[in-house]
Amino acid sequence: MRLNVIRKKASSLRELGREPLELPAVSTLEGLLTEMTASEFRKRSESRGAEHQDGSLDSARESLSKEEIGQQAALGRVRFSESYQESMGDLETAVQVMLQDFRDGLFRVYLNERECLDLKERLEIKDGDDVVLIRLVMLAGRMW
């Protein structure tokens, strides 16, 4: 199934990115988020470079292309690397962290403009549906 994933920031609801995503059929919010996390994990694993026989990773690129700079600038921040950690961890841990983040209210999920609140909720997802992820930012300070 092919979805349109739209990322937004809660403070302005400004669109941070939009991308088509091909996923296997799922029937629950938990399944959808798990498949999305697995897809992103594989994409980042592939972009980190091939592992050498001695276990070391290929060295990082020395510069960004103009296209990459433009894409990152549109999101509001240009940075050299997604992560400076040598180890990405494993997929199971990434899925567990994402599920906990959802339970903790760090992001919201909307399917075709309808908020999805329960991980076990049955969803009817069709090709071309829009999935909106809104990252919530916690504010520090006092109200008075």
Side-chain angles (χ1 to χ4, degrees):
M1 123 183 84
R2 187 175 188 91
L3 299 173
N4 300 309
V5 178
I6 303 164
R7 290 179 172 86
K8 293 186 176 187
K9 187 166 74 171
S11 61
S12 65
L13 292 181
R14 181 175 60 111
E15 194 170 297
L16 297 177
R18 176 185 290 258
E19 64 184 75
L21 183 62
E22 191 73 35
L23 294 177
V26 294
S27 60
T28 64
L29 177 59
E30 183 175 8
L32 175 65
L33 292 174
T34 299
E35 288 298 330
M36 290 174 69
T37 301
S39 175
E40 184 71 20
F41 186 87
R42 285 189 294 273
K43 185 170 79 172
R44 288 186 183 199
S45 293
E46 291 167 4
S47 72
R48 289 189 64 87
E51 193 170 317
H52 293 291
Q53 290 176 351
D54 66 358
S56 63
L57 294 173
D58 282 339
S59 61
R61 294 187 347 224
E62 293 185 20
S63 63
L64 296 172
S65 70
K66 288 183 181 183
E67 181 180 311
E68 290 170 320
I69 292 171
Q71 289 172 344
Q72 289 186 26
L75 297 178
R77 180 168 82 175
V78 177
R79 57 187 173 169
F80 182 72
S81 173
E82 286 293 322
S83 173
Y84 294 103
Q85 292 179 315
E86 288 297 317
S87 171
M88 283 191 52
D90 62 278
L91 177 57
E92 184 177 326
T93 302
V95 169
Q96 293 306 315
V97 167
M98 176 275 306
L99 292 173
Q100 187 61 51
D101 287 351
F102 179 82
R103 288 184 196 104
D104 290 345
L106 298 180
F107 67 96
R108 297 277 195 239
V109 179
Y110 291 82
L111 178 65
N112 295 326
E113 299 182 11
R114 186 181 67 78
E115 186 173 12
C116 301
L117 299 170
D118 182 10
L119 288 170
K120 301 298 182 191
E121 177 182 357
R122 306 264 319 150
L123 302 176
E124 291 186 32
I125 305 171
K126 300 176 287 301
D127 277 342
D129 282 355
D130 290 334
V131 176
V132 177
L133 302 174
I134 300 179
R135 181 184 69 197
L136 303 174
V137 179
M138 302 302 155
L139 302 175
R142 296 184 178 179
M143 292 181 61
W144 58 91

